[in-house]
Amino acid sequence: MLDPSAVGGGTRPPGSGTRSAAQSHATNPVTSVVIPAMMADVEEVEVVVAHNERATLRVGDVFLKIDADQTRTDVEVEAMAMAPVPTPEILWRKPPALALAALPGTALGHLGEPSTASSAAWAAAGAAARTLHDAPLPPWPGRSLDELASRLAGECEWLVANDVLPADVVTRNRQLAETALRPWTPVFIHGDLQVDHVFVAGDEVTGVVDWSEASQGDALFDVAILTLGHKEHLGDVIAGYGTDVDLDLDLIHAWWSLRCLTNVRWLAEHGYGSPEEFPEVAVLRSRP
């Protein structure tokens, strides 16, 4: 599920204005001819995501991402070029489409479902997050504290006004979420590091997808999104991330609440079903 305004990420274009190696390869005319020819014999097209802002299709071993806002694609391409962790190979780019090679392995898990991945695989995901966070910052900023606080307030008002959740559940989670909104030392974050976006084979991470929300941000946000709905694997992720840094559990819990509070309306408005069925709503109801 791809939220174009996911809290903690950023959709601003890279600030350098230069063409990365990934961008140059993405528009390689030879590649752009060869890859469509490779897809010619595919008998089935799988719709992975589709709504009025973007669509992702799987055609054989190629993923086609079509986005109405090319600044998100600019961020994705530049972030993948900078990231020190495995990412999909960019096959070609011809706006509004971006073609990526499929990653080996399977997703670490899915929100709302038990994960079958090993503890070691979860630890490897934590280690990958740490590697990203230790990398040089991208040149574009993330959202400010004021922006995050404003969005949180607006989404909480919507949840209560539309009877999506009882006022006391919203209030309790909002109070917790607000504790995450404090100054932090910015790191290179993925911005949407949910379990569906981390691919593993056995106990190894084979790649991380969907980088359009990458930016400068709070390291704890990525750790929280990775473990949202999978609190039983939080210890594994922390073990892989490293105990030489302070991963404040209370702040990770706060980011869980903030993420859920700010995602429900977007999911409902983009055709993902009834809010009562969303794992995010279940998480909010479970918060003490």
Side-chain angles (χ1 to χ4, degrees), residues 52-66:
N52 59 3
E53 294 177 2
R54 69 181 78 176
T56 300
L57 309 175
R58 179 164 187 164
V59 186
D61 289 332
V62 177
F63 282 88
L64 293 179
K65 303 185 71 172
I66 303 166

Side-chain angles (χ1 to χ4, degrees), residues 111 133 193-195 218-231 234 237 247-249 251-257 259:
L111 186 59
H133 296 164
L193 197 63
Q194 54 183 291
V195 288
D218 183 12
L220 293 177
F221 177 78
D222 269 354
V223 175
I225 301 313
L226 180 60
T227 55
L228 179 65
H230 294 276
K231 61 182 180 181
L234 179 56
V237 169
L247 293 180
D248 190 309
L249 295 183
L251 289 175
I252 291 173
H253 297 165
W255 277 120
W256 285 348
S257 289
R259 169 73 166 199

Side-chain angles (χ1 to χ4, degrees), residues 14 62 102 118 175 185 202:
V62 177
S118 67
Q175 290 172 344
T185 301

Side-chain angles (χ1 to χ4, degrees), residues 32-149:
S32 65
V33 171
V34 172
I35 298 302
M38 291 170 59
M39 298 188 298
D41 295 331
V42 173
E43 297 180 355
E44 182 175 300
V45 175
E46 176 189 355
V47 179
V48 180
V49 173
H51 49 73
N52 59 3
E53 294 177 2
R54 69 181 78 176
T56 300
L57 309 175
R58 179 164 187 164
V59 186
D61 289 332
V62 177
F63 282 88
L64 293 179
K65 303 185 71 172
I66 303 166
D67 201 316
D69 182 355
Q70 285 297 291
T71 61
R72 287 194 290 257
T73 308
D74 291 340
V75 168
E76 178 158 20
V77 168
E78 192 72 11
M80 287 194 294
M82 296 178 62
V85 298
T87 63
E89 178 188 0
I90 297 175
L91 301 175
W92 50 268
R93 181 182 181 187
K94 186 174 183 180
L98 174 68
L100 303 171
L103 289 170
T106 57
L108 184 63
H110 304 287
L111 186 59
E113 301 176 13
S115 170
T116 59
S118 67
S119 294
W122 279 89
R130 176 65 182 273
T131 298
L132 177 65
H133 296 164
D134 286 343
L137 290 170
W140 60 96
R143 288 178 176 80
S144 70
L145 289 174
D146 286 344
E147 289 177 294
L148 296 174

